[in-house]
Amino acid sequence: MKLKGALLSTALALGVTGVSPAFAAWEPTKPVEFIIPAGPGGGADQMARMIQGIVTKNNLMKQSIIPVNKGAGAGAEGFLAIKEAKGDPNKIIITLSNLFTTPLATGVPFNWKDITPVAMLALDQFVLWTNADKPYKNAKEYIDAAKAAGPGKFKMAGTGSKQEDQIITVALEKATGAKFTYIPFKGGGDVAVQLVGNHVDSTVNNPIEAVAQWRAGKLRAQCVFDDERMPYKEKITPTQSWNDVPTCKEVGVPTDYVMLRGIFMAPGVTQEQVDFYIDLFKKVRATPEWKKFMADGAFNQSFMTGKEYLNWLTLNEVLHKQLMAEAGFLAK
């Protein structure tokens, strides 16, 4: 790209007014399908639609972005769709950790290496949520109550079977000795509604999936599954910011897990096409709307591309295989 820039500058200096089409950087020539391998209302869906809104509002590309939910089979529908779109640069997919867990749990013929990594947009946290009307003042009190009630008496809601939420639930059980009945739902939005309605006892939703109910005083954020507290100090509720939520380790519940929010393309695309989207997402991240979205959802704002992103993906595939094996979730 530097060489092209130098040649263009020389042409302009010599008074050349026309530039060969060969020098024009690639960009989409038709609307871009933005695949969401999850249900409506969840964290991936909210992020994809936020990106669509930012791109449209700020005129960041000429073509439109069209979000499409393909969440069947714990996201396998979406992953197979992008894998099968070989060489098509007008399709992108937002990924979460089902990038790793779905093929490991189901045996579906897909691996992240089958598609083209573009960028890590952020890492997403998980929070242990309870209904605000219940008496548990902290995570330890809740876990103690679950243990006292006996195995399977308390219901933990999550999105999908053998996915991130259930992996965390199993890890929580191993760390504390509590035993939950895990109930899967289609998306994080459904999960939050179930907890507000007292149909389940707790969830391990992402912050963005339950922030509206927390702000409304319906849910209580008990702890975050990370080594450090979330850095955001602006009050969300009248009394609490994300930074006021303790880590689960702080309150005697030693469990941690963070989730990918990343972008991939189909296999067989060119580096120039990948670079277009990297540049697009850098522009998205620079907007005030994105910065507010990151703060509201308490995201870890890690951004990676290229070799750094590939290394992270490789390490996390190994980690998820280990977690899935320990939980007994690997496909037979």
Side-chain angles (χ1 to χ4, degrees):
M1 294 301 290
K2 287 180 180 177
L3 177 58
K4 289 180 182 178
L7 289 169
L8 179 56
S9 298
T10 303
L12 292 173
L14 293 171
V16 179
T17 55
V19 179
S20 165
F23 289 92
W26 181 88
E27 59 183 289
T29 54
K30 63 181 183 178
V32 172
E33 182 179 322
F34 198 176
I35 298 171
I36 305 162
D45 185 66
Q46 289 187 53
M47 182 174 280
R49 293 177 192 279
M50 171 61 67
I51 289 167
Q52 177 202 29
I54 290 172
V55 169
T56 302
K57 178 183 175 183
N58 295 280
N59 297 310
L60 298 183
M61 59 186 278
K62 294 174 185 175
Q63 295 293 333
S64 58
I65 290 181
I66 304 171
V68 181
N69 293 90
K70 293 182 182 287
E77 177 190 11
F79 294 129
L80 291 175
I82 197 78
K83 177 183 175 181
E84 290 162 6
K86 186 173 182 180
D88 185 352
N90 298 296
K91 290 186 180 183
I92 59 175
I93 188 169
I94 188 166
T95 59
L96 48 157
S97 293
N98 62 355
L99 177 75
F100 308 118
T101 57
T102 292
L104 287 169
T106 64
V108 65
F110 170 79
N111 182 275
W112 68 266
K113 298 183 188 74
D114 296 334
I115 55 178
T116 305
V118 177
M120 174 192 288
L121 297 182
L123 291 170
D124 207 349
Q125 308 281 4
F126 284 84
V127 171
L128 176 64
W129 301 93
T130 59
N131 190 297
D133 292 336
K134 295 297 176 71
Y136 321 115
K137 294 184 182 65
N138 57 57
K140 183 77 164 54
E141 284 188 12
Y142 175 67
I143 295 296
D144 288 346
K147 288 164 73 172
K153 298 296 185 185
F154 275 41
K155 297 173 184 174
M156 178 76 82
T159 55
S161 296
K162 300 182 180 179
Q163 299 299 318
E164 303 92 341
D165 296 12
Q166 193 170 10
I167 289 171
I168 295 170
T169 301
V170 171
L172 192 60
E173 290 174 337
K174 289 188 173 184
T176 65
K179 185 69 178 174
F180 298 95
T181 294
Y182 179 80
I183 303 177
F185 293 91
K186 287 184 178 179
D190 289 345
V191 171
V193 169
Q194 292 295 320
L195 184 56
V196 168
N198 268 319
H199 303 299
V200 295
D201 299 289
S202 57
T203 73
V204 289
N205 249 359
N206 303 124
I208 199 68
E209 294 172 328
V211 65
Q213 293 86 351
W214 187 40
R215 185 181 287 117
K218 302 292 186 183
L219 298 183
R220 181 173 285 137
Q222 296 289 14
C223 64
V224 60
F225 293 94
D226 203 352
D227 290 331
E228 296 180 358
R229 291 192 181 202
M230 295 171 279
Y232 304 98
K233 296 184 179 180
E234 183 178 340
K235 290 286 187 276
I236 304 293
T237 75
T239 59
Q240 279 191 305
S241 69
W242 290 116
N243 186 249
D244 292 319
V245 179
T247 69
C248 293
K249 290 179 180 178
E250 279 181 69
V251 288
V253 183
T255 315
D256 61 89
Y257 183 90
V258 291
M259 182 169 71
L260 171 67
R261 298 289 183 193
I263 300 292
F264 284 74
M265 295 173 69
V269 295
T270 69
Q271 186 60 47
E272 190 176 27
Q273 290 162 346
V274 172
D275 288 343
F276 170 84
Y277 289 105
I278 291 175
D279 184 60
L280 175 67
F281 286 108
K282 285 180 178 177
K283 290 174 182 174
V284 167
R285 293 181 75 245
T287 65
E289 297 95 332
W290 178 261
K291 290 170 182 174
K292 183 179 186 303
F293 180 70
M294 288 287 100
D296 287 348
F299 289 93
N300 175 329
Q301 296 190 50
S302 298
F303 181 77
M304 294 181 193
T305 61
K307 194 171 189 308
E308 184 184 24
Y309 188 27
L310 282 171
N311 289 343
W312 188 93
L313 290 164
T314 301
L315 289 171
N316 274 266
E317 180 182 27
V318 173
L319 170 65
H320 280 83
K321 191 167 186 178
Q322 178 186 334
L323 291 170
M324 296 280 283
E326 288 174 357
F329 290 165
L330 293 177
K332 298 292 191 287

